């Protein structure tokens, strides 16, 4: 217990030092741009962080409301893309023929730039919510399917032999051996995809949606220097939503895969 408490305290101290260091570095660079370099519209390029935080406090209710819209749509797309990715990975692990047929298409789909795909999709569906969900699902799909497939195939051959020796049926092999073995890989893909899903949802909002962080970002960018602080608030909020999504997946991973070495207590205990 004492070791855990020391480890937790060291992590909190590291996080606190990282936040303070980032704050001081931001303030220093902003001061240099404004008073040393005399950059044109210095506070629009990189305003003082304390002024951005003050603007965040003054507009917190609106920012949280619009952020909730973005996060909700990104979450729905993330769940849809994750389900499709898991399903495809299972099918590819069952049949080499399906893998040979589907995997090249999955790889080719990632060659399409999101910046080009988003306006095309938005123009087709003409619905900001559906477009955000589909783009978030599209971003989520590939890393989840790839990491899930790798996890399904990570089972040691001796474990297969043991299951066969006990006359396990194919569905039992999947349920009791392959799927638990694939969970670490699955969560690896989910942690990659979750922040990207938020970014994809914001990108669609920039195309002309009515609500969301991307809408506020675009409006405040359009109004110029007078709204620079609020523009930076939307940028920081987008980053926070990405961190939040990553943190939620990390918590789910800790709960569902407690046997992983990183989650065990010191000494190998569970």
């Amino acid at each position: 217990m004492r070791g855990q408490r020391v480890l937790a305290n060291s992590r909190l101290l590291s996080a606190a030092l990282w936040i303070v260091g980032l704050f001081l570095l931001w303030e220093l660079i902003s001061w240099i741009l404004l008073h040393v370099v005399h950059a044109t519209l210095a506070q629009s390029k990189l305003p003082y962080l304390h002024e951005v935080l003050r603007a965040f406090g003054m507009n917190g209710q609106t920012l949280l409301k619009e952020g909730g819209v973005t996060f909700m749509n990104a979450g729905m797309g993330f769940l849809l893309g994750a389900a499709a990715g898991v399903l495809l990975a299972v099918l590819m692990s069952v049949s080499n023929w399906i893998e040979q047929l589907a995997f090249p298409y999955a790889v080719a789909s990632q060659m399409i730039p999101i910046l080009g795909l988003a306006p095309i999709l938005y123009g087709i569906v003409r619905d900001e919510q559906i477009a955000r969900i589909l783009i978030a699902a599209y971003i989520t799909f590939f890393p989840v399917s790839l990491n899930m497939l790798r996890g399904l195939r990570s089972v040691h051959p001796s474990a297969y032999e043991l299951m066969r020796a006990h006359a396990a049926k194919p569905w039992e092999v999947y349920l009791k051996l392959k799927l638990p073995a694939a969970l670490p890989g699955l969560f690896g893909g989910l942690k990659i995809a979750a922040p990207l899903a938020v970014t994809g949802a914001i990108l669609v909002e920039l195309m002309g949606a009515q609500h969301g962080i991307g809408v506020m970002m675009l409006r405040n960018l359009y109004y110029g220097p007078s709204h620079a602080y609020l523009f930076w608030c939307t940028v920081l909020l987008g980053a926070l939503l990405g961190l939040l999504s990553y943190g939620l997946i990390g918590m789910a991973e800790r709960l569902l895969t407690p046997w992983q070495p990183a989650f065990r207590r010191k000494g190998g205990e569970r």
Side-chain angles (χ1 to χ4, degrees), residues 139-162:
I139 293 175
T140 303
F141 165 76
F142 186 71
V144 170
S145 63
L146 186 65
N147 284 277
M148 180 75 181
L149 180 62
R150 183 179 298 175
L152 288 170
R153 292 180 172 168
S154 66
V155 178
H156 198 276
S158 61
Y160 277 122
E161 296 300 326
L162 183 62

Side-chain angles (χ1 to χ4, degrees), residues 27-43 45-47:
E27 293 285 282
L28 176 63
I29 295 175
S30 180
W31 181 83
I32 291 174
L33 286 176
L34 185 62
H35 296 289
V36 179
V37 180
H38 299 294
T40 305
L41 300 175
Q43 284 298 285
K45 293 182 173 67
L46 190 67

Side-chain angles (χ1 to χ4, degrees), residues 133-214:
I133 291 173
L134 291 178
I135 285 293
Y138 172 80
I139 293 175
T140 303
F141 165 76
F142 186 71
V144 170
S145 63
L146 186 65
N147 284 277
M148 180 75 181
L149 180 62
R150 183 179 298 175
L152 288 170
R153 292 180 172 168
S154 66
V155 178
H156 198 276
S158 61
Y160 277 122
E161 296 300 326
L162 183 62
M163 294 291 286
R164 287 172 184 167
H166 287 82
K169 298 178 180 177
W171 66 268
E172 288 179 315
V173 173
Y174 260 89
L175 195 62
K176 298 180 180 179
L177 182 61
K178 283 193 169 185
L179 290 179
L183 283 179
L186 171 63
F187 278 107
L190 293 176
K191 285 194 285 189
I192 294 172
L196 293 177
V198 175
T199 304
I202 293 175
L203 183 60
V204 173
E205 291 167 356
L206 295 175
M207 305 299 167
Q210 299 296 317
H211 298 285
I213 287 298

Side-chain angles (χ1 to χ4, degrees), residues 4-6 13 47 52 54 74 98 108 112 148 159 168 178 183 195 204 212 214 250 253 260 264 267:
Q4 281 187 307
R5 200 176 298 121
V6 171
L13 180 62
V52 175
R54 189 168 69 87
I98 294 178
I112 304 173
M148 180 75 181
K178 283 193 169 185
L183 283 179
V204 173
E253 181 185 21
Q260 293 193 74
R264 293 180 186 174

Side-chain angles (χ1 to χ4, degrees), residues 35-137:
H35 296 289
V36 179
V37 180
H38 299 294
T40 305
L41 300 175
Q43 284 298 285
S44 295
K45 293 182 173 67
L46 190 67
Y48 284 121
L49 184 55
H50 70 273
E51 293 288 354
V52 175
L53 295 178
R54 189 168 69 87
F56 201 106
M58 293 173 62
N59 300 276
Q61 188 173 0
T62 303
L63 286 165
L64 291 179
K65 179 183 176 183
E66 299 300 326
V69 172
T70 301
F71 194 72
M72 185 64 68
N73 286 294
M76 292 171 66
F78 173 77
L79 292 176
L80 179 64
V86 169
L87 178 61
L88 181 63
V90 171
L91 291 176
M92 289 192 295
S93 70
V94 170
S95 169
N96 290 331
W97 181 81
I98 294 178
E99 181 185 2
Q100 292 173 3
L101 181 67
F103 197 74
Y105 287 105
V107 174
S109 69
Q110 301 305 302
M111 304 301 164
I112 304 173
I114 299 298
L115 194 60
L117 181 63
I120 294 173
L121 187 62
Y122 184 75
I124 293 174
V125 300
R126 304 303 299 172
D127 186 300
E128 60 183 86
Q129 188 168 359
I130 294 176
R132 278 181 289 199
I133 291 173
L134 291 178
I135 285 293

